[in-house]
Amino acid sequence: MLARIRRDGQYAVMPRLWGGVDDGRLADLQTLTDSTLTTLDLDDLLAELLLRVREIIFVDTAAVLLLEKGADGLVARAACGIEDEVRQGVRVPLGVGFAGRIAAIKEPVRLDRVDSTTVANPILWEKGIKTMLGVPLLRGDELLGVLHVGRLDGRPFSDHDEELLQVVGERIGGAIQTRQLADERAATGLLERSLLPTRLPSCPGLAFATRYVGAEHRTIGGDWYDIFTLASGQLWIVVGDVAGHGLHAAVVMGRIRSALRAYSLLDESPERVLDLVDRKVNHFEIGAMVTVSCAVLDPPYESMTIAIAGHPPPVIAAPGQQASLAEVEPSPPIGTGLSFGPRRSTTIPLAPDCVVAFYTDGLIERRRESLDVGFARLRQAMSLGPPEYVAREIMRHVVGEYVPQDDIALVVMRRTDPSAEAMPPTGSLNE
């Protein structure tokens, strides 16, 4: 059987192979995984891939619409021959029109007529497209988007064209997934690092050290720490953890951090601030779950008032005493909708030269190991001395050669005598 095809506007006659892809097209398909494409950002990558799709399928137009998370619809991300789709920000609800139907059923769809009765986007028939073919872009069963192509001359698409476009769609879907993951990882890392304090406050009588370590071989999550002072001189130390990993968790973390800072300006207690944050999360961040430890200290920092929402308690070490977990009244994590009465805070005295460690659960949790073991390991690693020394010893003894499976945030605070010189390291409390 002969088929008329068009390449760069020129018509030719060539055999149509029904049993599979011919050697020439196999070579064309290899161009979709060209190693030089890995240096392109997602938009440039899709634009280049669509140019190659036109050559492989012999079509006049090609477009990719990606699923917009949380909006139940597709948004035009790249196009060739119908660039207006992208320039006009075309959006297609799932189940509506040509692309929407492909997305809803996750199956290829062919059109032998393109008009207002078959497609939702008028750009398609206004450009003179007569026939179309589209396939879903999938990652397993998860929908990434839709790839569709069109012809101006009215030649119908065959079973062979459909099979070939599905192969192309698999290649493009894989490229999109790889690039999206890389972009998300980079964006998440930049966002999370930008939200960590760049400078620790100067508080006479207190000294600090911090650590932040991302989980190895995983995307960054929603762990954070924050240390800031108010105009009154009041000091706030916050350590928190948004459930999940990736860009979404980091974005939620940033919003919660900003909300907590804003509510702290209301001159409210830490437990009241956590209640306000909880209210905000339950209304605007549905589905998010966050654990937070929030401590407030007033000069001369002889005590701290701490409230906890589902977060592990700090560890306190004082001269002549074994390191111990702070006895703090617990309350449910933020965002769960659970309530066991009003949150309460606990005021804890701080002896001179005492050291307090605030942290996220990535420091103490291990798979198939009781949390009590992790707490005991942390208490054993606590020492007295300058915060940098204490933080180093905690990370050396608690993490050591262990490959972190979750992010770790650590804040070490020491109450000092402002008039005294820095105390040299004294070693572990338990030696």
Side-chain angles (χ1 to χ4, degrees), residues 239-299:
V239 177
D241 183 2
V242 177
H245 289 79
L247 185 58
H248 178 69
V251 169
V252 172
M253 177 267 287
R255 292 171 181 162
I256 293 172
R257 173 185 178 274
S258 296
L260 197 148
R261 279 191 163 201
Y263 291 137
S264 73
L265 296 174
L266 300 178
D267 196 26
E268 295 281 1
S269 63
E271 67 271 23
R272 176 59 179 156
V273 167
L274 290 182
D275 283 337
L276 291 171
V277 173
D278 195 10
R279 184 177 178 183
K280 185 244 184 211
V281 169
N282 280 312
H283 185 79
F284 291 108
E285 309 288 352
I286 297 173
M289 188 178 77
V290 189
T291 68
V292 184
S293 173
C294 186
V296 178
L297 297 85
D298 289 293

Side-chain angles (χ1 to χ4, degrees), residues 193-201 225-227 257 261:
R193 284 189 291 273
S194 72
L195 293 173
L196 295 175
T198 56
R199 179 180 299 176
L200 301 181
Y225 66 84
D226 201 7
I227 310 174
R257 173 185 178 274
R261 279 191 163 201

Side-chain angles (χ1 to χ4, degrees), residues 47-124:
E48 181 62 30
L49 289 175
L50 290 184
L51 286 173
R52 301 183 186 197
V53 166
R54 290 178 71 182
E55 291 295 305
I56 296 170
I57 310 294
F58 309 127
V59 293
D60 301 287
T61 67
V64 167
L65 296 90
L66 297 183
L67 181 66
E68 190 172 33
K69 293 181 180 179
D72 293 327
L74 303 166
V75 59
R77 187 62 181 267
C80 185
I82 45 173
E83 288 79 3
D84 292 352
E85 275 207 350
V86 178
R87 294 167 185 157
Q88 296 179 21
V90 168
R91 296 174 185 271
V92 180
L94 297 184
V96 176
F98 174 60
R101 181 185 172 198
I102 296 169
I105 65 175
K106 298 181 182 178
E107 296 287 344
V109 173
R110 293 185 226 173
L111 287 181
D112 292 328
R113 185 180 74 255
V114 179
D115 56 31
S116 60
T117 66
T118 57
V119 299
N121 180 11
I123 293 175
L124 299 178

Side-chain angles (χ1 to χ4, degrees), residues 283-330:
H283 185 79
F284 291 108
E285 309 288 352
I286 297 173
M289 188 178 77
V290 189
T291 68
V292 184
S293 173
C294 186
V296 178
L297 297 85
D298 289 293
Y301 314 118
E302 295 175 344
S303 65
M304 68 177 177
T305 300
I306 182 168
I308 283 181
H311 203 83
V315 175
I316 302 178
Q321 299 178 16
Q322 295 289 321
S324 62
L325 297 175
E327 295 183 3
V328 182
E329 183 134 3

Side-chain angles (χ1 to χ4, degrees), residues 312 359-366 369 371 374-375 377-378 398:
Y359 53 93
T360 54
D361 57 10
L363 181 66
I364 57 171
E365 282 189 344
R366 302 289 187 272
E369 181 181 272
L371 271 179
F375 285 132
R377 186 185 296 114
L378 177 56
V398 177

Side-chain angles (χ1 to χ4, degrees), residues 111-114 124 128-132 151-155:
L111 287 181
D112 292 328
R113 185 180 74 255
V114 179
L124 299 178
I129 300 173
K130 299 295 191 299
T131 56
M132 296 189 72
R151 289 172 174 159
L152 302 177
D153 58 15
R155 286 179 296 116

Side-chain angles (χ1 to χ4, degrees), residues 146-163:
V146 168
L147 164 67
H148 67 66
V149 295
R151 289 172 174 159
L152 302 177
D153 58 15
R155 286 179 296 116
F157 288 95
S158 65
D159 292 342
H160 182 65
D161 293 325
E162 182 177 308
E163 292 171 3

